Amino acid sequence: MAVERLMYRDLTEGIDVAQNHYLKMLKRLQKMREFQIFVHPVPPVMDITRPTCLEWNKRMEAKLGAVPSIAWLDFAEQLMTADGKLHEQYVLDGIHLHPSYIPLLESSLGSDMLGVDD
């Protein structure tokens, strides 16, 4: 809506402004509280918002590549079919992911990210 109201030149600029603010706050919290931060991708559940979610995730993952102290949970692509739809097993109510996605989340965390010895 902000792009439609000409607050931003395009979707990319809108995403970048929001993400830059988000990352600034994450870094501040990390420093203040000594948090170990993991960023969950935006679930691409709804057909109408999926392109925006996928673009958000792509851009966030790229930005976090330059911030090694904040971990990107890289599993969003595994939620999708080859034709760009949400896998049926992850559909819950058309708005939220089904809990069956949790093994993907767990796998993306990995014991090395959590500081756990095998």
Side-chain angles (χ1 to χ4, degrees):
M1 290 176 72
V3 174
E4 290 173 8
R5 293 180 183 159
L6 304 176
M7 294 175 73
Y8 304 110
R9 179 177 54 251
D10 55 21
L11 181 63
T12 300
E13 182 184 16
I15 287 173
D16 285 341
V17 168
Q19 286 183 345
N20 291 341
H21 179 69
Y22 179 63
L23 286 172
K24 179 180 170 182
M25 297 309 295
L26 286 179
K27 290 174 187 177
R28 183 181 297 168
L29 281 169
Q30 189 175 47
K31 185 176 182 178
M32 286 175 28
R33 306 276 174 94
E34 299 180 10
F35 284 155
Q36 184 175 9
I37 296 178
F38 302 92
V39 177
H40 189 292
V42 176
V45 176
M46 296 172 50
D47 292 340
I48 194 166
T49 61
R50 187 168 298 124
T52 303
C53 293
L54 295 173
E55 184 64 21
W56 174 280
N57 290 340
K58 180 178 82 170
R59 299 187 71 72
M60 182 56 72
E61 181 178 14
K63 286 179 182 171
L64 288 175
V67 185
S69 63
I70 299 175
W72 173 251
L73 300 176
D74 190 15
F75 65 87
E77 288 185 16
Q78 296 173 52
L79 298 169
M80 310 299 292
T81 63
D83 63 349
K85 302 287 185 189
L86 188 65
H87 278 290
E88 187 65 33
Q89 73 224 48
Y90 304 127
V91 174
L92 179 63
D93 59 4
I95 298 172
H96 303 96
L97 283 175
H98 190 280
S100 64
Y101 94 97
I102 296 298
L104 297 177
L105 173 63
E106 289 174 334
S107 177
S108 70
L109 283 166
S111 60
D112 57 322
M113 282 185 138
L114 297 172
V116 175
D117 295 327
D118 291 328

